Amino acid sequence: MEPLRRASLVQATITEIGRAQSLDVTVGQIAKTAGMSTALAHHYFGGKNQIFLAAMRYILTEYSTQVRYHLARATTPRARAEAIITGSFDETCFAPATVCAWMSLYAAAPNQPETKRLLTLYQARLRSNLTHALRPLSATPQEDADVMAALIDGLYLRAALSDAGSAAAAKDAALNTLSHLLKDAK
């Protein structure tokens, strides 16, 4: 029963952050959405920050699943880099509540060490995966990976916050930039 309740609280956290469009939600609101008492929510997670971190770990796991799905089909280093980009712009990453949770992660990271640690882990894994994919293709794989990682995050934010932006357009822009980076490579 505990795993189901925890999962319910995680989903409720994402829903409530999406509804508020910020971290300005209470454990009581989260618990009510999950259909349980505030005391039970505190019992399972301790507080709002711990519930938020669990929600972001869930979102990062979903993101990782998408990237791995696309990587499993990649047969060349370039296809690996393209798979990372494609997975990063999967439509599941653009659900409104998920976007709000990502925005909250970025906003909270400077002041909350555990949140900053989670964001740093995501960024390091993205850079590492890109560096690995680009190593056989580029004379400067780490630098190119840094450019692509920053571009992925920036395009995600722009697409997520824009009425005219889309996941597909952001993905196409990132893939186009990858092609330009690799045009003069090795």
Side-chain angles (χ1 to χ4, degrees), residues 5 21 49 73 80 82 101 106 118 146 172:
R5 287 184 176 159
Q21 297 187 352
N49 286 340
R73 287 147 183 74
R80 284 187 63 79
E82 291 171 349
Y106 278 98
L118 200 57
D146 284 341
D172 290 346

Side-chain angles (χ1 to χ4, degrees), residues 33-63:
T33 300
M36 64 188 75
S37 72
T38 302
L40 202 51
H42 280 288
H43 169 74
Y44 287 125
F45 288 102
K48 184 172 81 171
N49 286 340
Q50 289 77 20
I51 298 173
F52 173 64
L53 289 170
M56 282 312 304
R57 281 192 288 276
Y58 171 81
I59 289 170
L60 286 167
T61 299
E62 292 293 305
Y63 164 75

Side-chain angles (χ1 to χ4, degrees), residues 4-27:
L4 292 174
R5 287 184 176 159
R6 283 179 173 273
S8 193
L9 284 165
V10 164
Q11 288 299 324
T13 301
I14 295 166
T15 298
E16 286 301 316
I17 290 170
R19 191 172 292 143
Q21 297 187 352
S22 73
L23 274 177
D24 191 22
V25 298
T26 65
V27 174

Side-chain angles (χ1 to χ4, degrees), residues 127-151:
R127 259 193 317 278
S128 174
N129 286 335
L130 286 165
T131 300
H132 175 73
L134 294 172
R135 191 165 280 120
L137 304 172
S138 169
T140 57
Q142 288 181 312
E143 291 83 355
D144 289 347
D146 284 341
V147 167
M148 290 308 303
L151 184 69

Side-chain angles (χ1 to χ4, degrees), residues 114-170:
E114 282 298 309
T115 305
K116 183 175 185 171
R117 182 182 156 285
L118 200 57
L119 179 60
T120 301
L121 262 167
Y122 153 72
Q123 292 171 331
R125 192 169 296 141
L126 177 60
R127 259 193 317 278
S128 174
N129 286 335
L130 286 165
T131 300
H132 175 73
L134 294 172
R135 191 165 280 120
L137 304 172
S138 169
T140 57
Q142 288 181 312
E143 291 83 355
D144 289 347
D146 284 341
V147 167
M148 290 308 303
L151 184 69
I152 287 168
D153 284 349
L155 288 170
Y156 175 82
L157 292 173
R158 178 177 278 174
L161 295 173
S162 168
D163 292 335
S166 72

Side-chain angles (χ1 to χ4, degrees), residues 37-111:
S37 72
T38 302
L40 202 51
H42 280 288
H43 169 74
Y44 287 125
F45 288 102
K48 184 172 81 171
N49 286 340
Q50 289 77 20
I51 298 173
F52 173 64
L53 289 170
M56 282 312 304
R57 281 192 288 276
Y58 171 81
I59 289 170
L60 286 167
T61 299
E62 292 293 305
Y63 164 75
S64 175
T65 299
Q66 287 303 318
V67 171
R68 283 194 320 272
Y69 170 81
H70 292 285
L71 281 172
R73 287 147 183 74
T75 58
T76 66
R78 183 178 182 124
R80 284 187 63 79
E82 291 171 349
I84 294 164
I85 291 167
T86 300
S88 295
F89 293 106
D90 189 84
E91 286 294 335
T92 60
C93 298
F94 285 85
T98 300
V99 169
C100 288
W102 273 105
M103 300 299 163
S104 297
L105 178 74
Y106 278 98
N111 303 315

